[in-house]
Amino acid sequence: MLLLLLAYLGGVLTLLSPCILPVLPFVFARADRPFLRSTLPLLLGMALTFTLVASLAAVGSQWVAQANQIGRWIALLLMALFAVALLWPALADHLLAPLQRVGARLSARADAADAAGRGGAWTSLLIGIATGLLWAPCAGPILGLVLTGAALHGASASTSTLLLAYALGAITALALAVWIGGRVFRALQARLGLGNLLRRVLGVAALLAVVAIALGWDTGLLTRLSTVSTARIEQGLLDAVPGAQPSAPPMMMGPATAGSEAPLPVEGTLPALDGATGWLNSPPLDAAQLRGKVVLIDFWTYSCINCLRAMPFVHEWQRRYRDHGLVVIGVHTPEFAFERDPRNVMKAVQQLKVDYPVALDNQYAIWRAFNNRYWPAHYFVDAQGNIRGHQFGEGNYARSEQVIRRLLAEAGQTRLPPPADPAAADLKGVAAQADMGNLRSPETYLGHARAEQFASPGGQRADTAFDYALPPALALNQWGLSGRWIIDDEAARLQQPGGRIAFQFHARDLHLVLAPRQDGTPVRFRVWLDGRPLPAADAGSDVGSDGSGVIDEHRLYQLVRQRGAVAPHRFEIEFLDAGAQAYAFTFG
């Protein structure tokens, strides 16, 4: 109930956000009509559509994203037709004939239908449904709470209920605005006779709104022009209510600090592992089979640099203690779509020499069963099936091994080999531990869903081909593109040879998650540092001495490793062939 109230209040605050501006013309266009038969169905249609689309978005599947884009463009077409009908009622019959055949009356004839009591509510409901596809409320902390819960625990009826509460809060505010605005409209019409003029003004406003949404101005220009921010108010509501703060979203986890020795509590029991979509190196395993064994559950994904740096230590524990009752199970939970392909994971398992069981957790079933949030994450399970400890992120390797040894001793193992020396590990390539003293650049995603610090003029254009240009200078941790790219929610995809990506970074190592053309054709590249070819001394493990390389797999590529003094640099990668796909920068 508490979260429902917070979601509702967050929706009310949407009226103060710039993202609501593009849909206001469609709402106010019906402000002078009966509320119950016109305005209310329109607002309910908006709420229902938003709830449905947002619920599907919470699932996070690729087909949902595609369906949403198709629906968005259909809605843009419907809104454009409605705007034209407001401007030129005489043309409405011709423009809206196909929609009339399916019962959609989005023209000036809606006035007559309302007056006669025929289909007025259905007209408004259909307009509301179409408008709802365009409605993209600013994702403040409260809406983030709802979507984060969906990402962690899966889409559910409770998630949809929270989203509906958010939507109802927004339409409550809109209904109040319509009521106030309607009284103003009626006063103007009665005293000044401006009905036709108002209709045309609303038509122009509606057309401008369609153009703004189609070009992405509704989330860019409008936000920059806004003088009102609701994020602080929403966050204040969350801060004021104990226990209302959302859990952190799934993320890559860097090095963790060491913890003190303490008794090992019982943190829960080992969940069932039957949600895996497949297994590598083993038949399916379940909790009952593992009773009597000490189990290490390792959540990882193969393009995660933090996972790759932790993996040598997991391998060493498995080698050192497997004959003493330790079972290591890797749970591969993908971050990017290409990591869902079992063939890609099988290849990575072979290349990384993973010989212990790996559960393919493509649907995040095991992830949710553990209530996990990080890559990498290690859970330590005793012989009775109780979770006795965890480690999120890199580091604390000696402590993690000590937990394993204590659980093995509790299980009756007395002749354990000496513990490993983490400092003696032979770590090469991407496995070398990060230089934390020089690490000043964060993981940075290139897909528009999570992109930050993008500096090319004009900003990102989501899901459409666009010719980008690099700015002459980049501030620390800014990046940009040159050439023709399509940026989808996960990656930037190059459409023509010669495209570049630039990043101003400060770290010893620079990695980039890359993929070849969608048909698997390799893509050649060259790396530049501060406008000059990458020096051989600073070449990463995936770059030749002349700064060249080839993208032939979907994986993380190490492009820069500074072997001298670490300093900030402008990195650029030039792709000699079309089709390169770039997902995320990571550093070390």
Side-chain angles (χ1 to χ4, degrees), residues 500 528-533 570 572:
R500 290 194 177 206
W528 306 77
L529 212 60
D530 299 325
R532 296 184 294 273
R570 179 176 172 128
E572 291 190 27

Side-chain angles (χ1 to χ4, degrees), residues 3 9 17 101 172 187 277 311 337 340 444 540:
L3 291 182
L9 292 176
S17 301
R101 286 196 292 267
T172 300
T277 56
M311 186 166 285
R340 297 176 183 272
T444 301

Side-chain angles (χ1 to χ4, degrees), residues 32-383:
D32 59 341
R33 304 177 189 181
F35 179 81
L36 292 180
R37 286 170 38 205
S38 181
T39 304
L40 182 60
L42 181 143
L43 295 176
L44 289 177
M46 288 178 59
L48 291 174
T49 305
F50 168 76
T51 303
L52 176 62
V53 172
S55 297
L56 292 175
V59 179
S61 301
Q62 185 65 29
W63 69 269
V64 174
Q66 294 172 349
N68 190 33
Q69 288 300 320
I70 295 172
R72 186 176 173 86
W73 283 106
I74 292 174
L76 282 170
L77 177 61
L78 293 177
M79 293 301 99
L81 291 174
F82 177 55
V84 170
L86 284 173
L87 283 170
W88 298 290
L91 299 179
D93 290 340
H94 300 289
L95 293 174
L96 304 178
L99 300 179
Q100 290 171 346
R101 286 196 292 267
V102 296
R105 304 177 61 87
L106 301 177
S107 69
R109 289 193 176 186
D111 294 329
D114 287 340
R118 300 191 315 270
W122 288 108
T123 300
S124 299
L125 183 64
L126 179 60
I127 295 173
I129 289 173
T131 307
L133 288 169
L134 301 173
W135 176 27
C138 297
I142 292 177
L143 185 57
L145 168 64
V146 178
L147 295 179
T148 295
L152 291 176
H153 304 294
S156 63
S158 61
T159 298
S160 295
T161 303
L162 288 171
L163 290 169
L164 180 59
Y166 187 96
L168 290 175
I171 68 169
T172 300
L174 283 172
L176 180 61
V178 168
W179 179 72
I180 296 173
R183 297 183 65 178
V184 173
F185 274 36
R186 284 191 292 273
L188 288 173
Q189 287 177 312
R191 298 179 183 182
L192 302 177
L194 295 179
N196 291 332
L197 177 60
L198 286 174
R199 186 182 184 90
R200 285 186 167 82
V201 169
L202 289 171
V204 172
L207 280 177
L208 291 175
V210 170
V211 172
I213 295 170
L215 297 179
W217 296 346
D218 56 319
T219 56
L221 178 61
L222 289 176
T223 300
R224 289 192 290 273
L225 292 178
S226 174
T227 59
V228 179
S229 173
T230 64
R232 289 186 180 181
I233 305 176
E234 292 186 26
Q235 190 63 54
L237 288 171
L238 292 176
D239 293 339
V241 181
Q245 287 286 0
S247 301
M251 64 180 68
M252 301 299 182
M253 190 69 173
T257 57
S260 60
E261 284 297 324
L264 299 177
V266 174
E267 300 179 354
T269 58
L270 177 64
L273 304 176
D274 54 4
T277 56
W279 286 80
L280 303 178
N281 299 334
S282 170
L285 299 175
D286 58 37
Q289 292 174 275
L290 297 168
R291 283 296 180 95
K293 299 286 188 181
V294 173
V295 181
L296 167 60
I297 301 291
D298 173 25
F299 282 94
W300 68 293
T301 187
Y302 79 83
S303 73
C304 163
I305 184 60
N306 310 99
C307 302
L308 296 176
R309 288 198 287 249
M311 186 166 285
F313 299 94
V314 177
H315 288 185
E316 176 59 26
W317 299 332
Q318 192 264 351
R319 183 195 67 80
R320 189 170 291 255
Y321 299 111
R322 62 188 171 193
D323 295 333
H324 300 273
L326 176 67
V327 175
V328 176
I329 298 177
V331 178
H332 186 273
T333 310
E335 181 179 20
F336 299 115
F338 66 79
E339 292 172 313
R340 297 176 183 272
D341 189 334
R343 294 169 298 181
N344 290 339
V345 183
M346 289 175 63
K347 183 182 293 186
V349 163
Q350 293 171 355
Q351 292 174 341
L352 296 170
K353 299 181 180 178
V354 177
D355 58 3
Y356 44 81
V358 175
L360 303 181
D361 190 28
N362 281 359
Q363 302 303 322
Y364 278 59
I366 303 175
W367 177 285
R368 291 195 296 268
F370 276 84
N371 196 26
N372 187 47
R373 301 192 297 273
Y374 303 108
W375 294 281
H378 299 150
Y379 293 88
F380 306 98
V381 183
D382 66 19

Side-chain angles (χ1 to χ4, degrees), residues 533-587:
L534 178 69
D538 293 330
S541 57
D542 292 300
V543 181
S545 58
D546 61 348
S548 66
V550 175
I551 307 168
D552 54 5
E553 297 178 277
H554 296 69
R555 63 177 176 87
L556 178 143
Y557 289 76
Q558 185 183 80
L559 302 177
V560 176
R561 167 157 288 173
Q562 299 183 66
R563 292 171 174 84
V566 176
H569 294 286
R570 179 176 172 128
F571 162 88
E572 291 190 27
I573 181 170
E574 177 188 11
F575 301 98
L576 307 183
D577 307 298
Q581 305 177 73
Y583 291 80
F585 283 97
T586 58
F587 302 90

Side-chain angles (χ1 to χ4, degrees), residues 320-326 401-419:
R320 189 170 291 255
Y321 299 111
R322 62 188 171 193
D323 295 333
H324 300 273
L326 176 67
E401 185 176 8
Q402 185 61 30
V403 172
I404 293 172
R405 294 174 66 86
R406 290 174 64 180
L407 296 181
L408 289 173
E410 288 183 10
Q413 296 290 334
T414 57
R415 295 193 171 188
L416 297 176

